[in-house]
Amino acid sequence: MNHGPARLARVARSEDELIKLARGLVTGARALPRARARAAIETIGPTAMALLEQTLARGLSAWLLRSGGWQTRRTWVAADGRAVRGRLWDRHRELPPLRFGPASFALLTWLHGEDLVRPTRALERQPDTTLADDLLHYLALGQLVRAGLDFGQPAFTRSPLSQLGYADALGEVLAGTGPDGEPERLPPVDFRPLTTGPGAIIMEALQPQLAERWLAMERRKGTIASLDQMLRIGRAQDQVLRLWFAAIDGAGQGQPRRRDLAGFVAEAARELLARGPERLCPDHRWWIRSLDARAPLSARQAAFTAAAAFLRGISRLGLWLDEAGVVAHFDEDYELAQLWLSSWQQLRARPDPDPAPDPPAAMPASILDRANFLTRSLESLHSLGVAEPPAPNSRELP
Amino acid sequence: MSRAYRIRISESLRRHIKVDDGIQSKLEILAILPPEQTAALLERELEAAGFEKRDDGQWARVDEDGVEVRVDPQTATVTVSAQAESELDIERERVITAWAENDANTRERGREALEQELEGEADAHREDLQASVTEALEAKLGDLRRELDQLSNRVTATALKQKAASMGEIQEISEDPESGSLTIRVKI
């Protein structure tokens, strides 16, 4: 018997670069090459391919657990037909296997061989893109956005997970005009695969990540000066939330509705609109404070309405809460309804009024009422006309 | 030795410029009565405020400053718009220098430059006109907001009184026009 050390696998230098790129993406390290590789990779050997698959599968599994799977949550487990509380691996007997296909290979070779500032070759969306491929695209997009590199590629704009996490960036990058003369819209995608089976498990793990992303999108709006930019972002947000809500609400076909997968909206809303010793819910001017105030009123109003896209999304959760509240205990959906009520009850909570509010408490008490109030304010005639200065402490958000 | 030639180019631009601006919003009227009753109350208030009913069922008023306010009583939607038109007629002449007789290329380049200059002037004129329309609309908004708020409050107050009357005998009504508060005491 040979008890000596195992032989190290040998790969070519370009293959090694590709594996390191993959490792960087899944570990969150700065992974993108600064310069285009000298030779584009078209194929790799079986040893490198096995190492690449292993790196991606282990790395992405670990990333999913680190980014949100470790959190104790209560979610609907379709296999058990009930709500279960625990960490991701407690709630599900088996975590979804991550299978990578040609789309991941195409993504990695594109990142490795292209000039990421001015790409010469488009990265197309592959028709056989798997869930794991899509997750890798989501991670790669995050790095491209943070590094300020080009990401206006069909592989990202048509990726469901990328749209859910980066609706703002993808909406902005579409600089064209549609046939109706309006700004080009994000291509509609099918979110249904993310609402059942392995897709839903991945979405459960991604909830904290997505909450952070949507919070960042809202915080960024106050820095935007261009009405057109705000319009594109708001329309993209509107579309993504509308299609996502429709997908989780209509899981249908014998599958339960997975409204709990909109939890990231509730979490971001809580961070943004709650008041307390360390937080201050902004007033409507916080969203539009940097916008160009010299443009025609029609353009301003369209941009203000677009700025309220996320706030409008929150009100959908309010409707669902209303519906859940009237589901009787003998109804089939009772346990699901109770899950939504218990998960989102904070949105309805009305904390004790501050005895000395500063600024005076014109803002409603609950998060849901605040979202509705702010939406109305942004869409109403009152937000137009001569610009009023923002409230003195409306910028003191975390 | 080459010789300089002077080429005289003239161009004119005539354009009818039309700009508009407008916004749309909803009146904040509480759903106290059925929609058709609320719409009837709103129509009454609109008539009192100088609005006229149009064929499409909307109520409209054109104010002295040219700002048009339209209200759809069924949906409580308000549309405020303004527009302006202007006839632009510009003529320009330019003398350019060429180094050959009948230099068609230089003449063409000069003509294109002059055309661009005229287009730039037309764009600037359009922008100025657009800014003046927006300014007029903006100046109007303050008064209009107050007027529409008061109109909505009156509709809501009337709706409340009718609702209270349908519930029992009204014993006391007190209104504060400053704050817009309304207290109704009803004996059921």
Side-chain angles (χ1 to χ4, degrees):
Chain A
M1 276 177 80
N2 179 14
H3 292 288
R7 279 185 61 194
L8 284 176
R10 294 177 69 85
V11 295
R13 173 183 276 194
S14 60
E15 294 171 336
D16 173 59
E17 288 170 359
L18 206 63
I19 293 167
K20 283 180 177 158
L21 171 61
R23 191 182 302 154
L25 286 181
V26 296
T27 55
R30 190 169 158 177
L32 301 176
R34 292 185 180 177
R36 180 204 295 245
R38 267 169 294 181
I41 300 175
E42 288 178 5
T43 55
I44 58 173
T47 308
M49 185 58 90
L51 284 173
L52 188 60
E53 284 179 348
Q54 187 189 65
T55 302
L56 289 176
R58 289 185 182 173
L60 268 186
S61 300
W63 180 82
L64 272 176
L65 298 180
R66 272 202 314 268
S67 66
W70 64 273
Q71 287 192 351
T72 301
R73 286 174 173 264
R74 196 158 166 259
T75 62
W76 186 258
V77 179
D80 298 351
R82 64 192 175 94
V84 180
R85 185 179 168 78
R87 299 177 190 242
L88 192 70
W89 53 88
D90 297 325
R91 300 196 300 267
H92 301 282
R93 285 181 219 121
E94 282 184 24
L95 294 180
L98 297 173
R99 294 196 181 88
F100 298 90
S104 286
F105 187 70
L107 169 68
L108 291 170
T109 53
W110 185 85
L111 291 171
H112 176 261
E114 268 301 320
D115 174 358
L116 297 178
V117 178
R118 276 180 293 277
T120 52
R121 184 171 55 93
L123 181 64
E124 297 294 343
R125 171 84 176 166
Q126 307 248 349
D128 51 0
T129 303
T130 65
L131 199 56
D133 294 331
D134 209 34
L135 194 53
L136 191 64
H137 279 76
Y138 171 85
L139 286 179
L141 177 59
Q143 293 223 4
L144 288 168
V145 170
R146 281 192 293 278
L149 298 169
D150 183 284
F151 52 86
Q153 303 296 327
F156 298 120
T157 56
R158 294 181 181 280
S159 148
L161 276 177
S162 299
Q163 282 200 8
L164 272 172
Y166 294 90
D168 59 338
L170 294 178
E172 253 180 293
V173 84
L174 298 172
T177 307
D180 51 359
E182 295 287 323
E184 186 182 357
R185 288 179 184 274
L186 273 181
V189 294
D190 184 4
F191 284 120
R192 284 173 302 179
L194 295 175
T195 63
T196 56
I201 296 175
I202 286 180
M203 280 306 295
E204 287 177 21
L206 281 179
Q207 293 293 309
Q209 267 271 328
L210 292 175
E212 271 179 37
R213 280 297 310 132
W214 281 82
L215 192 58
M217 288 184 214
E218 292 308 293
R219 286 181 174 157
R220 200 176 135 234
K221 282 181 183 168
T223 65
I224 294 172
S226 158
L227 300 176
D228 184 61
Q229 193 182 356
M230 184 68 89
L231 200 59
R232 288 174 192 278
I233 291 173
R235 287 189 176 187
Q237 286 185 311
D238 262 332
Q239 176 177 313
V240 168
L241 285 182
R242 179 171 49 80
L243 292 179
W244 177 244
F245 288 157
I248 58 179
D249 201 26
Q253 311 283 327
Q255 296 282 350
R257 288 179 291 180
R258 289 299 308 266
R259 290 176 174 178
D260 55 306
L261 294 179
F264 67 91
V265 176
E267 286 168 38
R270 209 156 40 227
E271 280 299 312
L272 190 67
L273 302 181
R275 273 174 186 265
E278 294 147 15
R279 289 191 284 211
L280 188 65
C281 171
D283 79 2
H284 71 278
R285 289 167 293 187
W286 182 78
W287 274 265
I288 54 177
R289 63 180 187 263
S290 301
L291 281 177
D292 176 11
R294 294 159 303 172
L297 283 174
S298 52
R300 267 184 265 170
Q301 191 181 32
F304 290 4
T305 304
F310 175 68
L311 297 169
R312 275 192 295 279
I314 299 170
S315 64
R316 170 60 78 92
L317 303 190
L319 295 177
W320 285 348
L321 275 175
D322 290 343
E323 287 176 22
V326 294
V327 174
H329 69 278
F330 48 78
D331 280 342
E332 198 178 321
D333 281 348
Y334 178 71
E335 201 176 345
L336 261 177
Q338 290 301 306
L339 171 65
W340 302 327
L341 283 171
S342 62
S343 302
W344 300 337
Q345 61 185 347
Q346 277 184 304
L347 298 182
R348 279 252 180 85
R350 295 172 194 277
D352 293 336
D354 188 346
D358 180 27
M363 196 70 76
S366 80
I367 291 171
L368 275 174
D369 289 342
R370 280 179 201 159
N372 290 331
F373 174 78
L374 289 165
T375 305
R376 279 200 310 276
S377 302
L378 282 167
E379 291 176 349
S380 89
L381 292 177
H382 291 259
S383 61
L384 293 163
V386 180
E388 298 164 59
N393 45 5
S394 62
R395 290 170 194 236
E396 294 172 14
L397 283 167
Chain B
M1 192 174 163
S2 56
R3 188 172 164 185
Y5 293 87
R6 295 173 71 197
I7 303 175
R8 190 179 301 276
I9 303 168
S10 63
E11 280 289 326
S12 64
L13 184 143
R14 274 188 191 172
R15 193 159 290 174
H16 178 76
I17 296 180
K18 188 174 178 182
V19 295
D20 57 33
D21 198 0
I23 49 175
Q24 202 170 60
S25 185
K26 286 227 167 207
L27 292 175
E28 287 187 21
I29 299 175
L30 299 177
I32 297 163
L33 295 174
E36 57 275 12
Q37 288 183 38
T38 308
L41 290 179
L42 181 54
E43 286 185 351
R44 211 171 66 192
E45 290 295 337
L46 288 170
E47 192 170 14
F51 284 76
E52 289 175 2
K53 192 170 186 178
R54 298 273 167 92
D55 293 340
D56 58 2
Q58 297 203 2
W59 289 70
R61 189 182 75 192
V62 181
D63 293 341
E64 285 171 2
D65 44 16
V67 175
E68 186 188 43
V69 187
R70 270 182 294 132
V71 182
D72 183 343
Q74 304 302 324
T75 58
T77 306
V78 185
T79 309
V80 187
S81 59
Q83 57 182 29
E85 294 179 45
S86 163
E87 293 294 340
L88 194 64
D89 190 353
I90 325 173
E91 281 187 20
R92 281 282 184 290
E93 198 173 85
R94 178 76 32 94
V95 176
I96 57 171
T97 305
W99 298 99
E101 196 175 3
N102 299 325
D103 185 346
N105 285 340
T106 305
R107 177 183 288 277
E108 185 58 25
R109 275 201 303 275
R111 199 183 56 75
E112 281 175 8
L114 198 53
E115 267 181 14
Q116 276 182 10
E117 193 180 308
L118 293 182
E119 286 292 341
E121 270 189 50
D123 286 346
H125 186 77
R126 170 185 289 277
E127 281 173 19
D128 287 347
L129 198 61
Q130 178 71 64
S132 67
V133 169
T134 298
E135 208 174 307
L137 203 54
E138 211 166 2
K140 178 82 184 169
L141 272 187
D143 292 340
L144 192 62
R145 278 192 298 240
R146 267 188 296 279
E147 184 187 358
L148 292 173
D149 282 348
Q150 287 168 1
L151 196 143
S152 306
N153 288 344
R154 283 199 298 273
V155 171
T156 306
T158 313
L160 269 175
K161 288 172 194 168
Q162 288 189 8
K163 183 77 178 177
S166 71
M167 290 165 67
E169 183 190 338
I170 296 179
Q171 295 194 316
E172 185 189 336
I173 297 179
S174 60
E175 284 183 74
D176 180 3
E178 285 295 312
S179 64
S181 73
L182 172 70
T183 309
I184 303 174
R185 192 185 295 274
V186 184
K187 185 178 180 184
I188 300 175

